[in-house]
């Protein structure tokens, strides 16, 4: 996976978001084992401590669970995964609508553009 990280925001929060996206999109399905902190840190090109911080937040959110000798696993709580997916989608929509409004579009114009763009695909 290509890790897209920028210097505008803390790395751990970007890692957190990208791993959340991988979980809610099904790359890491419910109950699946995650690569180790070191593996993912090397893949992303970040310090393992930074990746560990992202993993700790994912555990706090109950998206992943640590099994002492077996590693880290994605939760099997499908409802929680759906809720996180919905929350991430709402965040993306909010950002999108704010940008479109800064371009001068009204809500009805934005919805019309979305409908037209969807039909063209």
């Amino acid at each position: 996976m290509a890790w897209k990280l920028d210097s505008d925001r803390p790395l751990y929060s970007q890692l957190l978001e990208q791993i959340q996206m991988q979980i809610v999109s099904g790359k890491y399905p419910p109950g699946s084992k995650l690569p180790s902190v070191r593996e993912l840190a090397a893949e992303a090109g970040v310090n393992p401590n930074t990746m560990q911080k992202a993993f700790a937040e994912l555990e706090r959110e109950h998206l992943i669970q640590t099994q002492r000798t077996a590693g880290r696993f994605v939760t099997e709580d499908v409802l929680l995964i759906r809720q996180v997916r919905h929350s991430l989608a709402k965040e993306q929509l909010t950002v999108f609508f704010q940008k479109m409004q800064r371009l001068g579009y009204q809500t009805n114009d934005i919805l019309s553009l979305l409908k037209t763009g969807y039909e063209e695909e």
Side-chain angles (χ1 to χ4, degrees), residues 35-55:
S36 72
V37 168
R38 289 197 181 282
E39 288 176 88
L40 283 179
E43 185 179 303
V46 298
N47 185 301
N49 292 333
T50 305
M51 186 63 74
Q52 176 57 41
K53 189 173 180 180
F55 269 43

Side-chain angles (χ1 to χ4, degrees), residues 23 30-31 62-63 65 74-83:
I23 291 171
H62 305 288
L63 267 180
Q65 302 160 347
V74 175
T75 182
E76 293 186 12
D77 186 344
V78 177
L79 181 59
L80 174 63
I81 293 171
R82 281 191 199 135
Q83 289 171 340

Side-chain angles (χ1 to χ4, degrees), residues 2-105:
W3 293 82
K4 296 177 184 168
L5 305 171
D6 58 52
S7 59
D8 294 354
R9 299 177 314 131
L11 286 176
Y12 91 92
S13 63
Q14 294 178 67
L15 296 169
L16 170 69
E17 289 170 4
Q18 290 189 33
I19 296 169
Q20 283 175 327
M21 292 287 250
Q22 292 172 352
I23 291 171
V24 302
S25 70
K27 177 178 180 186
Y28 297 122
S32 65
K33 184 175 181 182
L34 293 167
S36 72
V37 168
R38 289 197 181 282
E39 288 176 88
L40 283 179
E43 185 179 303
V46 298
N47 185 301
N49 292 333
T50 305
M51 186 63 74
Q52 176 57 41
K53 189 173 180 180
F55 269 43
E57 183 63 22
L58 290 166
E59 283 191 69
R60 193 186 68 71
E61 294 176 357
H62 305 288
L63 267 180
I64 66 172
Q65 302 160 347
T66 300
Q67 295 178 6
R68 284 192 180 237
T69 58
R72 289 184 174 87
F73 294 82
V74 175
T75 182
E76 293 186 12
D77 186 344
V78 177
L79 181 59
L80 174 63
I81 293 171
R82 281 191 199 135
Q83 289 171 340
V84 171
R85 181 179 184 209
H86 184 75
S87 176
L88 292 172
K90 282 180 72 173
E91 287 173 21
Q92 292 298 312
L93 282 172
T94 299
V95 170
F96 171 74
F97 270 84
Q98 289 170 346
K99 287 181 179 180
M100 294 300 285
Q101 288 168 343
R102 283 197 300 267
L103 288 172
Y105 286 96

Side-chain angles (χ1 to χ4, degrees), residues 103-117:
L103 288 172
Y105 286 96
Q106 299 298 314
T107 301
N108 288 337
D109 298 327
I110 298 168
L111 293 174
S112 178
L113 279 170
L114 284 171
K115 187 175 188 283
T116 304

